[in-house]
Structure formats: structure tokens, C-alpha cells
Amino acid sequence: MHQQPSRAALRQTLLGKLRYSLGRSPEDAVDHDWLTAAILTVRDAMVDAWRPPSTPVGKRVYYLSLEFLIGRSLNDSLGNLGLREALRDVLAEFGQSLDALEALEPDAALGNGGLGRLAACYMESMASLGVPAIGYGIRYEHGLFRQVIERGEQVERPEDWLSFRNPWEFERSDRAYEIGFGGRVEEGEGDGAHWVPAERVLAVSYDMPVVGWRGHATTTLRLFRARAVEPLFLEAFNRGDLAGAVSERVRAEAISRVLYPNDSTPEGQELRLRQEYFFTAAALRDLVLRHIRDGEDLRTLNRRAAIQLNDTHPALAVAELMRLLVDEHGLAWNEAWEVTRGSIAYTNHTLLPEALETWPVSLMERLLPRHMQIIFRINAVFLDAAAKTPGHPDLAVLSLIDEHHGRRVRMAHLAFVGSHSVNGVSALHSRLMEETVFAPLARMAPGRIRNVTNGVSPRRWLIGANPALADLIAETCGRERLDDPVDLTDFAARAGDAAFRERLGAIKHANKERLARRLKDQLGLAVDPRWLFDVQIKRIHEYKRQLLNILETIALYDTLRAEPWRDIPPRLKLFAGKAASSYVTAKTIIRLINDVASVINHDPVTRDRLKVAFLPNYNVTLAELIIPAADLSEQISTAGMEASGTGNMKFALNGALTIGTLDGANIEIAERVGEGNIVIFGMTAEEVAAERRAPRRSEEILSGQSRLADVLDAVASGAFSPGEPDRYRPLVDALKRDDTFMILADFAAYEAAQRRVDGLWRDAGAWQGMAAANIAGCGYFSADRSIRDYARTIWNLPPADWRG
Ligand SMILES: *Cc1c(COP(=O)(O)O)cnc(C)c1O
């Protein structure tokens, strides 16, 4: 445990921050001053836990990710440092409420969804385990857009998380790297060449400390901001050409201006490629410099650095590291290749073909001419070796260059070939990698694909978000269990005890009351916390099937109206999630949910039995409010399409039952919590694949499903959009024409599963027993378990450097 500051010291630091950093006295300070002073005070304690600059015995981990979905940091940091109560008391002396101040902290929304949140959880977990690690990413000026709902539709507004500065960060102007783009390549000696970029942009470092549990250690998140080398052309300025005077600055700074709002389809935009190269190149320059400063030869880099690529966005690291080693440090090609492959490992996050990144060769040649040469050479060597392998797969399929679609570089191929390890993020996903998209590459490199099932930080998603549940776990299993809640299996031992179940139910009830208050305040919607809270919160995407959920909601509504005597437990159907701004179908689904909500919520016949809510602007903070209050977790993706999911883990860890398909990590959740404590339905990945090979006609699927047919007719004919009857006709027509996501095919199974849930809900005691089994089974999905897997099987960290 780190040395904790005394209450008096904390008070003195806080007042000192207010006075000397903000120029305020307690009398004239406004709320934001108090928040900033509180953050600066906590940051001091984190700095004290920063790992001394001494070098680890083995490797440092470098985690490269285009996204870090951090959310707020004050609650997590206070919890990990054990300073929450002390700070609360000190603030109270000045009439300030810690909770009220925490609510003012903006979410650092530097990510779209699961991939970015995973990176944030892993940084915290590495700090908690003492893994020497640095995360690298982009300091976007505007994170993911802020979603507002106007007349049922998503409207995107810019997110302005930096408007009150970011008190957590340290600007490091001395760690600024010139990153080149464009230009030409001159011949060099041996394997090397000399790249003369036409344009240069500065990558300036901003460090955010991330403190681990009990303040043992702090890792660094180093985010780069783009700045112009030449901020102002005085000559143009003096001519009165104001736009020309700052043109370079505008162009350069565009790189870190916004996060691309898409987690599934790479937009073919040059700016995105510039972002990817920008942060990857800056990260590699930074880590190579550190290696040299440690007095090491670059030939040993692979023994000192584990470079983990979070998806293909930083895949250019393969070519950039080769360029640094060969062109700038004079290594021979083969030597450099060994170092590169020995250092880099790649995590794949999707098998959706449309989401696998490719870049036109012509764009690469223009923007990164030397890297294109290097990629061609890597490809030539690779295909040469492949051609000599007996029974090798088709070379056109193995090639890093896709020759069919106007010549494009396959970034996943580049990452695969340039890495010593490639991993999927759930057992199913890793198996499907091996069997489908990566099958030919896997045949050339047996053993390279591994699995590391995702995890979530128990500090943020259990102790921070649901402190009452954490206390019950501490009481049941011992407080020290919270130090490492990877094994919670004995929490289930008391599940048969009625008093224990009641306490568990009371904790859930209090969390539901809190959420109900929010629904009342924000949406004017009254819901009874005794109802079943049925929740689907995640990015809006066809494969995640919010449409399936809302169609079933309509079917339920029809039933309640037609047969009001039926004994069906009352439910809240809660949705939240953002749609990528260019994803028309996803936006239509948001509108449909809101239109359905406004019809159902105003119907006096069903008012005591069913309500539908869409909470706008889904982000980490909203997830922290909703997840502890959920009874039922909707994890209903089309089987084979969700790589892992992490939302599913957070819900189950907080005692929600999952209704889900055999997809991603749902399969492992079912194994851990037991089949009797989860509601599984629908087609398997294999069945989906078979159906895709020989799709049935929608008439065939719909025959014998009159309720679903009625629901579709109602939606198509404007029952939920009376002012514009045709609003949803195209959506329904498309669904009938092509059921790619198996919404019609899985509907009957899903509806039956929901009625099974109704049956389970009727026995409140048994339900709490199942909730306990979920909590107990999900310790396994701690990010600490995932990080230990990476550390042992991929990074090979020596035990001396971390707590294994
Ligand atoms: C956990 C989390 C996600 C990922 O959710 P999935 O259900 O796994 O897609 C996305 N966004 C936020 C804010 C999260 O906290």
C-alpha cells in the first residue's frame, strides 16, 4: 500500500491547488474550481505512485490503441487510492459535496465502444498488477459525438470534453516528434533507403497517469496531439492572407481534431489513415528512444518491448518499425524483421468482412511511399516462402495486397504476418479466426493464433459502480477478496440462504430506484422499481439486433392489449446506444424504438405493465448508472458476429441474468455461471453459416408465425408513425428481402426465451439465487485475468516485474 496523505495534508494540498494553481480562495471558488482542485490533489497522490523510472528486468508493455474510452477518472482514482472518504470530509468542511463535483467531470469519450473501453480497462488492470506499461493513443480534441434525441431521431452534437482543460494530464512539450507524410524515397545503402517527406507534423505528448488498486503503481497513458511545425506563415500574414497564414496549422491539427464515429466500417478517408500513422509512428519513436536511452542496442528491442496492437488501426507499426530499424538505424533486413516480429503482437476484434481495414495502394504510395515499398518487400519474402511450402493455400489469398478491388493493402494480413502472436478475444472468436477469415494465414503459421478472452476492470464495474454489492462480497468472502476478485465462486455458497437473497435483492432494488429517478427526471417516465428491468445498451448495429428486441416488444404489447388477463410480469424495456452518423439503418432503428416508446408509454391499457425507454448519449458514465440496476441483460447478437462483448460481463458481474445467443463470450459466461442461470436461445454460429449458404424465403419463415407477421405489418403500415405511415416500410421490406442478421429466423426462439424469463421472474427468491450464481461465476471476467493471460502467454513477462 502506498503512503496515504493524512486528512490535514489533503486539506492543505486542496487549498494550495485552489490558491496557487487556480488563483481562487475558498470564498470565491465556483464548483468547477473545486472539481479541478480536487483532481489536482488526487493527481499528486497518483504521481507519488508512479513507477520509478528504473527499467524493468524484462519487458515494458506498449499498448497501441486508436481509442481509449476512459469515461470519468475521479471515482476510479479515489477508490484505488483509498482517499474517497477523506476527500469527501475535507470538501464537506467547505460546503462542497464530492458526489456533486464528480457529476461535473466530463467523460473522456475517446472511443466508440467495446474496443476503446477494453483499452481503458486494461490500462487500469496493468497498473493494478504492476505491469510496467505505457498506452499510446490520440488526444482527440472532440471525443465521440454527444447524442441528443429530437423528435425521436438521433442528432449529433460535438463533444467538448476539453472546454475546462483536462486537469489529469501533463503536457510534455519536450516529447514532441516530427511525423512525416508524402514526399519521395531516395536510394540508400544496403537494405536501407532515405525517405524525404513533403510534410511534417508534430506529435506532442500528453501524459495521463492511471493508478492501480491500492495505489501500488501507476501506468501512463500517453496521448499525442497534432501540432503544426510552423504555426504561422508570417509572410502570408503580412500580405493580409489570414487563411493562408494558418493553413498548415489547420491541416496539421485536423489529425487530432475528431474521433471517427465508426466501430465497424472503415471509411475510406485519408484523414483516418493519417491518424493511424501519426500515433503509431509517434509511439514507436517514443519507445525506440526509451530503449536507446536505457543504453540498449536495437537488436535487443524484442527482449525489452512487448508492442500490443489493439486491432489493425496501428498495423502500420510493422512497416514503421522496419523503416526505423533498417533506414534510420542501419540494421540488415533479416535482423530487423526478427526484432519487429519478436516485438509485435496483434489482437483482432472483428471478423466482419466489411470491417477489415484495407487501404488503396495508390493512397499509401502518395502518403507513405517508403512504407509501401517495405510492405511490398515483406509480401514478396512471405509469398516466396509460402510458394515453397507443400500444399500451400492460394497465394492470391495469402497476399498482403488484394488485387481484386483496385489494389488495396490488407491491414489484418500485415498485422498477422508482422506479429509473433495473434489473438482473438473469446474462445469462439479465436476458433472462428482460425477456421474462416484467417484460415489460410493460420495454415502458414500453426500456433500463432491464440485466445485471450476479454475482461473488465472489477474496480470500475463492481467496486466503483456498485459499492453496496462490493460490500456484500467483502462481507461474504472477506474484504481481501476485493484485492483480486478473479475467483468469487464461494459467493454462491450462500445463495440458498433466504436472508442473503433478500439482501442481494435490496441492493438491486436501491440501484433500480436510482435509475427510476433518472428516467423520471430526464424522460418524465414513471416506472416502478419492482418491475423487471430489461436492458440493452451498446452501439446500435444490425448485428447486435436491437431490432429483434423492439419487434418482440411490439409483440408483447399486442399480447397485453389483446389478452389483458394474461399473467405476464410488468417490464421496463430500456435501450441506449449511439449509431455511427453515416449508418442510416442504425439511425432508423433508434427512431423506431423512440416511436414505439411514445405509443406504448401513452397507452392506458398497458400502462401498468410495459414501458419503453431510450436514454440518450450512451457513454461510460451512463453505463455505470444502468448496469447495476439491470435485472435482464440483452446479449442477442447474431451468432458468430460479436467477437466477445464486454457489456455482457459487466451485467452478469452485477447480478443481471443474460438472455443471449451462443455468441462471443456469452458461451464462456454460460459455462461459468451454469446453464441453469442464463437464458440461451437461437441459432448457433454453425447454423447461421448454414442458413446463409441456403437462405430460406421470408414467406417460409413467417408462415406459422402470425404474430410476427402482424408486428411487421403494423410497423410497415405506420402504426408507430401515424404522421408518416411509410416511415418504416423500407426497413421492413429490406428485412423480408434479406434476413442477413437472422432477425426473422431467430424471432420465435427469442420470444419463447422471453416467456421463460417471465416464468423465472415470478419466483423472486430463486431469481436472486441465480443472480448470486452470475456474480460468483463472473470473477473470471476480471481484466486482471485477461492481463495475466497476455503477460504469460504473449508478452512473456518475468515474474520479477509484476504480480502474476
Ligand atoms: C462496455 C461498454 C461497451 C461495450 O459494450 P458491448 O455490449 O460489449 O458492445 C460500449 N460502450 C460503453 C460505454 C461501455 O461501457
Side-chain angles (χ1 to χ4, degrees):
M1 187 75 186
H2 73 112
Q3 190 65 37
Q4 270 194 4
S6 70
R7 205 154 291 206
L10 206 61
R11 185 176 191 280
Q12 195 181 359
T13 309
L14 184 75
L15 290 179
K17 297 297 176 191
L18 212 52
R19 184 176 171 85
Y20 299 111
S21 302
L22 300 166
R24 295 284 202 193
S25 69
E27 292 73 39
D28 55 22
V30 299
D31 291 349
H32 256 107
D33 297 325
W34 284 105
L35 172 63
T36 305
I39 290 175
L40 292 174
T41 302
V42 174
R43 193 181 69 165
D44 279 9
M46 291 160 83
V47 170
D48 291 335
W50 224 325
R51 222 163 211 282
S54 73
T55 40
V57 176
K59 295 176 182 175
R60 218 183 237 105
V61 174
Y62 297 103
Y63 198 82
L64 272 62
S65 180
L66 196 58
E67 303 188 2
F68 287 90
L69 187 49
I70 303 164
R72 290 177 178 153
S73 292
L74 188 51
N75 188 34
D76 234 27
S77 307
L78 282 173
N80 282 1
L81 288 163
L83 288 178
R84 158 168 295 282
E85 292 320 309
L87 185 66
R88 185 191 296 286
D89 292 351
V90 170
L91 284 167
E93 279 182 46
F94 299 96
Q96 293 294 318
S97 138
L98 176 60
D99 296 335
L101 294 184
E102 281 185 334
L104 293 177
E105 188 186 356
D107 265 50
L110 312 185
N112 276 285
L115 175 149
R117 183 55 230 172
L118 185 79
C121 279
Y122 282 179
M123 289 308 297
E124 192 273 347
S125 180
M126 288 192 278
S128 290
L129 295 177
V131 171
I134 297 180
Y136 289 114
I138 295 180
R139 180 181 176 277
Y140 300 102
E141 195 176 317
H142 302 284
L144 190 59
F145 64 87
R146 190 164 56 83
Q147 178 196 55
V148 293
I149 301 295
E150 285 180 2
R151 286 178 296 279
E153 289 186 273
Q154 167 175 302
V155 176
E156 299 110 34
R157 297 269 156 76
E159 179 76 79
D160 223 2
W161 72 295
L162 290 174
S163 57
F164 286 92
R165 321 265 302 261
N166 174 13
W168 295 107
E169 73 192 5
F170 295 92
E171 180 178 341
R172 311 269 188 219
S173 302
D174 61 319
R175 286 284 182 279
Y177 303 104
E178 276 191 21
I179 307 300
F181 292 98
R184 62 199 152 75
V185 180
E186 293 171 357
E187 271 190 37
E189 301 196 352
D191 292 319
H194 183 57
W195 176 29
V196 189
E199 185 191 345
R200 287 174 196 278
V201 175
L202 275 183
V204 183
S205 307
Y206 288 73
D207 288 352
M208 282 178 75
V210 179
V211 70
W213 178 241
R214 289 190 180 275
H216 285 303
T218 294
T219 55
T220 305
L221 182 53
R222 176 161 282 189
L223 303 177
F224 296 107
R225 174 186 171 198
R227 285 245 306 270
V229 176
E230 208 64 75
L232 184 72
F233 293 120
L234 256 189
E235 187 231 343
F237 185 81
N238 291 339
R239 267 190 279 117
D241 176 9
L242 299 189
V246 295
S247 61
E248 180 182 328
R249 181 163 164 189
V250 170
R251 184 173 160 77
E253 295 186 356
I255 293 178
S256 56
R257 192 79 72 197
V258 292
L259 166 72
Y260 271 98
N262 58 322
D263 59 354
S264 63
T265 46
E267 278 157 71
Q269 291 178 18
E270 182 173 332
L271 183 57
R272 170 85 168 192
L273 181 58
R274 284 164 67 90
Q275 288 183 328
E276 292 181 355
Y277 179 64
F278 168 79
F279 97 94
T280 304
L284 289 177
R285 290 273 293 282
D286 194 69
L287 70 88
V288 162
L289 187 67
R290 185 170 301 102
H291 187 74
I292 291 170
R293 287 217 174 128
D294 285 348
E296 299 258 2
D297 186 284
L298 279 174
R299 285 169 188 83
T300 65
L301 184 71
N302 50 326
R303 277 185 263 144
R304 310 294 273 154
I307 303 171
Q308 191 69 38
L309 310 181
N310 194 28
D311 215 345
T312 54
H313 314 138
L316 279 166
V318 175
E320 173 69 2
L321 188 52
M322 286 300 288
R323 188 188 72 79
L324 289 174
L325 296 175
V326 173
D327 293 358
E328 304 209 345
H329 294 275
L331 269 68
W333 180 272
N334 290 337
E335 263 181 328
W337 185 241
E338 216 162 283
V339 171
T340 296
R341 276 212 40 233
S343 310
I344 295 178
Y346 156 54
T347 305
N348 173 272
H349 282 274
T350 178
L351 301 174
L352 306 188
E354 71 274 18
L356 288 172
E357 273 189 306
T358 61
W359 293 107
V361 168
S362 56
L363 173 61
M364 290 279 292
E365 279 176 331
R366 180 161 55 77
L367 210 60
L368 300 166
R370 176 59 180 147
H371 299 79
M372 198 58 248
Q373 290 179 346
I374 290 171
I375 291 169
F376 280 137
R377 181 158 175 192
I378 292 171
N379 197 31
V381 175
F382 172 60
L383 292 181
D384 233 32
K388 293 192 188 107
T389 310
H392 63 78
D394 184 358
L395 295 185
V397 173
L398 289 176
S399 175
L400 306 197
I401 311 294
D402 179 354
E403 305 284 352
H404 295 302
H405 303 92
R407 289 202 98 202
R408 302 175 75 95
V409 183
R410 295 167 165 151
M411 302 309 277
H413 278 52
L414 176 62
F416 189 104
V417 171
S419 296
H420 63 88
S421 159
V422 177
N423 74 285
V425 289
S426 73
L428 173 69
H429 170 227
S430 300
R431 176 166 70 75
L432 291 177
M433 280 177 74
E434 190 117 30
E435 290 173 0
T436 63
V437 179
F438 290 92
L441 287 166
R443 263 218 277 155
M444 297 304 301
R448 191 171 305 173
I449 296 182
R450 296 158 212 206
N451 177 58
V452 179
T453 299
N454 281 168
V456 300
S457 162
R459 270 73 60 184
R460 181 169 293 258
W461 297 108
L462 176 63
I463 300 171
N466 201 345
L469 178 58
D471 283 343
L472 183 61
I473 292 172
E475 221 178 277
T476 318
C477 310
R479 180 136 305 261
E480 66 288 347
R481 184 63 57 85
L482 294 182
D483 289 346
D484 194 1
V486 168
D487 181 359
L488 294 175
T489 39
D490 47 346
F491 183 72
R494 286 183 57 199
D497 171 355
F500 175 82
R501 292 171 168 196
E502 231 162 80
R503 281 195 56 196
L504 199 54
I507 290 166
K508 181 65 79 180
H509 189 81
N511 293 334
K512 288 167 75 175
E513 281 179 328
R514 192 168 54 134
L515 176 57
R517 275 198 299 280
R518 165 68 81 88
L519 292 170
K520 183 85 191 109
D521 292 347
Q522 196 172 340
L523 305 177
L525 189 72
V527 285
D528 187 330
R530 286 170 303 187
W531 288 18
L532 194 167
F533 280 21
D534 172 346
V535 179
Q536 188 172 21
I537 52 173
K538 45 181 77 239
R539 290 302 301 265
I540 309 291
H541 201 293
E542 287 163 281
Y543 87 79
K544 291 177 182 278
R545 298 202 293 191
Q546 284 91 355
L547 185 54
L548 176 60
N549 188 348
I550 198 68
L551 292 177
E552 194 277 331
T553 305
I554 297 170
L556 175 60
Y557 173 61
D558 289 348
T559 303
L560 292 173
R561 281 180 57 92
E563 306 162 47
W565 58 86
R566 285 265 303 263
D567 176 26
I568 295 178
R571 276 198 203 222
L572 166 69
K573 283 267 189 180
L574 176 58
F575 296 83
K578 295 176 184 176
S581 43
S582 59
Y583 192 169
V584 177
T585 305
K587 290 175 128 177
T588 305
I589 292 168
I590 291 178
R591 192 171 193 190
L592 176 61
I593 294 169
N594 282 290
D595 279 349
V596 169
S598 67
V599 170
I600 292 183
N601 296 345
H602 290 106
D603 190 329
V605 177
T606 56
R607 57 175 299 162
D608 298 324
R609 313 186 67 181
L610 180 62
K611 291 272 163 67
V612 181
F614 188 99
L615 270 174
N617 202 36
Y618 181 50
N619 60 16
V620 173
T621 296
L622 192 57
E624 288 166 356
L625 171 73
I626 295 174
I627 290 170
D631 297 307
L632 188 65
S633 157
E634 299 268 356
Q635 307 301 337
I636 59 176
S637 52
T638 316
M641 300 192 82
E642 185 76 87
S644 162
T646 48
N648 47 2
M649 301 166 182
K650 300 168 196 166
F651 279 100
L653 183 62
N654 280 277
L657 257 64
T658 302
I659 180 167
T661 45
L662 286 173
D663 197 18
N666 294 354
I667 296 173
E668 288 154 88
I669 292 176
E671 285 166 8
R672 297 276 154 186
V673 306
E675 309 240 322
N677 298 307
I678 185 168
V679 179
I680 294 292
F681 74 93
M683 301 163 81
T684 62
E686 279 68 28
E687 287 164 353
V688 169
E691 175 83 28
R692 290 229 168 100
R693 283 192 295 273
R696 285 173 294 165
R697 294 170 50 81
S698 64
E699 290 81 5
E700 195 183 326
I701 299 170
L702 286 173
S703 77
Q705 291 206 63
S706 59
R707 192 162 39 235
L708 174 57
D710 290 348
V711 167
L712 294 177
D713 286 346
V715 172
S717 58
F720 300 95
S721 53
E724 189 191 339
D726 282 337
R727 183 176 295 161
Y728 299 110
R729 189 168 293 281
L731 183 73
V732 172
D733 287 348
L735 196 56
K736 286 186 176 170
R737 214 171 29 243
D738 182 3
D739 190 18
T740 315
F741 300 97
M742 308 292 153
I743 287 171
L744 304 183
D746 260 347
F747 184 86
Y750 178 57
E751 194 181 34
Q754 289 288 19
R755 303 291 76 79
R756 286 206 314 272
V757 170
D758 287 343
L760 297 170
W761 180 253
R762 285 197 190 93
D763 184 345
W767 184 280
Q768 289 312 327
M770 292 188 288
N774 271 271
I775 297 162
C778 286
Y780 175 79
F781 299 102
S782 164
D784 298 355
R785 190 267 313 147
S786 311
I787 290 298
R788 287 184 174 118
D789 283 354
Y790 278 101
R792 292 200 189 107
T793 66
I794 296 177
W795 304 331
N796 241 319
L797 298 190
D801 287 336
W802 63 297
R803 282 185 300 284

